[in-house]
Amino acid sequence: MSKILGIFGGSHNASASYVKDGEIMCCIEEERIVRVKSGDDFGRVPEEAVFAILQRYNMSINDFDDIAVCGPYCNGFVRYIEAPREKIIVINHHSSHCYGAYLTSGFLDKTLVFSYDGGGDRNYGKIYLAEDNKMALVKTIPLWTGSSAGQIYAHTTVGLGWKMLKDEGKVTGLAAHGKFNEAIYNQLNKIFYYNGDLSFSPVDSPGKASYILDNIKQSKHLDYLDDPNYNSPRPVMEYKAEIAHNVQLLIENEMKNFLNDLHSKYPQYKKLVLSGGIFANVKLNQRINELPWVDEIYISPPMGDEGLSLGA
């Protein structure tokens, strides 16, 4: 018999999971117990979630055969766990994303497994080839070699007046009320684009995105600047919706370019498993699902970092 405790914390979306003999017994996100949204509670470890699992199953920490800790790892992260250190195994952030997604997908055919987010364990993402519950790593996307759509979306959220890692869904919803603006789109496309080598544009796109968004916001009536009869600034939500729409559209288009190129390299792989916070974006997922070569798509239900304890 095998009893494994998975934990993730010390960042955001802290959680704990219990897997027994390959069966998922329990997954608990810390915010559900402490009643504070994870986006307002950075640095928390899943102390209450672990305690709830121990209580529910009448166990002690020593009853687990292994304790899988998802990175980024720090010494203080497991300080509250009174267990032999030989039981503690540190698992890479994006490996946890990918394994948690693929091994819950039920896919046995040739499958592309892709994790992508705002960054974890010095990477923005990983790509695996999977078949019959076996996975082979083919690509890592390091932080220092490219940029992240997750970072740009987070900084857009802040630029529009909300909180990153908490309110990105407001940007997705608002995007549906905006319209295409070539000037905004082209400016953003200069800092975020698909490189053609399974990575994205150069680093520091979040800083550049913040700079561009600040300038766009200062000219709220951007597409009316050449109209001599237009003298009033546009309603705030109108220009915010326009920014949201073009950021959303840009990420959809560049992600499609990335995935199409990935498919060209591995044309036999027509099932797709996705994990990482960016895939909480349902409109993006819809566009990916519509790609002609995709037979079936699976997005891990806890696609963000809350799912890392299960993946670990």
Side-chain angles (χ1 to χ4, degrees):
M1 294 182 65
S2 172
K3 297 176 181 177
I4 305 173
L5 174 68
I7 58 176
F8 173 72
S11 177
H12 59 89
N13 293 96
S15 67
S17 298
Y18 171 31
V19 174
K20 179 181 178 182
D21 298 332
E23 180 183 353
I24 301 170
M25 304 298 292
C26 185
C27 299
I28 302 176
E29 192 170 358
E30 187 78 0
E31 74 167 28
R32 306 295 181 173
I33 300 175
V34 300
R35 311 304 296 167
V36 179
K37 288 283 188 183
S38 60
D40 291 327
D41 197 18
F42 288 87
R44 182 177 286 276
V45 295
E47 202 163 355
E48 296 296 329
V50 170
F51 179 73
I53 290 174
L54 298 180
Q55 240 188 354
R56 179 177 298 186
Y57 294 95
N58 192 27
M59 299 172 68
S60 76
I61 200 74
N62 289 310
D63 289 330
F64 293 103
D65 298 294
D66 295 291
I67 298 170
V69 179
C70 178
Y73 174 78
C74 63
N75 290 330
F77 183 80
V78 292
R79 199 172 292 161
Y80 68 95
I81 297 179
E82 297 178 1
R85 286 300 179 258
E86 61 267 19
K87 285 190 175 185
I88 297 174
I89 304 169
V90 180
I91 311 295
N92 176 270
H93 184 99
H94 282 282
S95 297
S96 296
H97 269 315
C98 288
Y99 275 89
Y102 176 63
L103 294 176
T104 57
S105 70
F107 291 173
L108 296 176
D109 298 336
K110 292 182 183 298
T111 302
L112 290 168
V113 183
F114 176 42
S115 68
Y116 188 57
D117 62 16
D121 268 348
R122 300 188 297 277
N123 295 308
Y124 283 133
K126 285 189 175 184
I127 303 169
Y128 287 82
L129 300 181
E131 187 176 9
D132 291 330
N133 286 330
K134 296 178 181 178
M135 297 171 60
L137 179 66
V138 294
K139 175 72 175 180
T140 297
I141 305 174
L143 298 178
W144 54 87
T145 62
S147 59
S148 163
Q151 286 282 351
I152 289 180
Y153 219 90
H155 283 268
T156 299
T157 302
V158 173
L160 295 182
W162 297 306
K163 290 185 178 181
M164 69 169 64
L165 297 167
K166 181 173 179 287
D167 295 326
E168 281 81 356
K170 294 178 181 177
V171 179
T172 309
L174 188 60
H177 300 277
K179 61 183 180 180
F180 177 69
N181 182 304
E182 186 176 4
I184 294 176
Y185 188 94
N186 288 342
Q187 285 187 63
L188 292 168
N189 200 195
K190 290 177 181 177
I191 61 169
F192 183 73
Y193 50 86
Y194 176 55
N195 269 331
D197 62 349
L198 297 184
S199 66
F200 293 90
S201 45
V203 294
D204 194 34
S205 54
K208 293 174 182 175
S210 296
Y211 176 79
I212 288 176
L213 289 169
D214 284 344
N215 279 275
I216 290 172
K217 285 194 299 180
Q218 288 172 20
S219 56
K220 299 176 184 178
H221 50 288
L222 186 66
D223 55 351
Y224 297 103
L225 289 178
D226 296 328
D227 183 351
N229 298 317
Y230 189 86
N231 298 312
S232 302
R234 297 162 62 190
V236 170
M237 291 310 294
E238 185 178 322
Y239 80 82
K240 282 188 174 184
E242 198 160 286
I243 291 171
H245 178 89
N246 285 276
V247 169
Q248 174 74 29
L249 181 63
L250 173 69
I251 289 173
E252 290 174 13
N253 289 341
E254 297 306 315
M255 186 62 70
K256 283 172 59 180
N257 291 337
F258 170 88
L259 290 170
N260 282 332
D261 194 25
L262 179 61
H263 172 64
S264 72
K265 291 174 168 52
Y266 305 102
Q268 292 179 310
Y269 291 76
K270 297 184 178 181
K271 290 186 184 293
L272 192 57
V273 166
L274 305 171
S275 187
I278 192 69
F279 299 112
N281 189 313
V282 294
K283 183 65 179 0
L284 171 63
N285 295 342
Q286 179 187 6
R287 293 288 299 277
I288 293 171
N289 191 47
E290 291 168 351
L291 292 173
W293 57 268
V294 175
D295 282 348
E296 195 170 0
I297 186 174
Y298 174 82
I299 293 95
S300 172
M303 73 292 289
D305 286 2
E306 68 279 356
L308 289 172
S309 63
L310 176 61

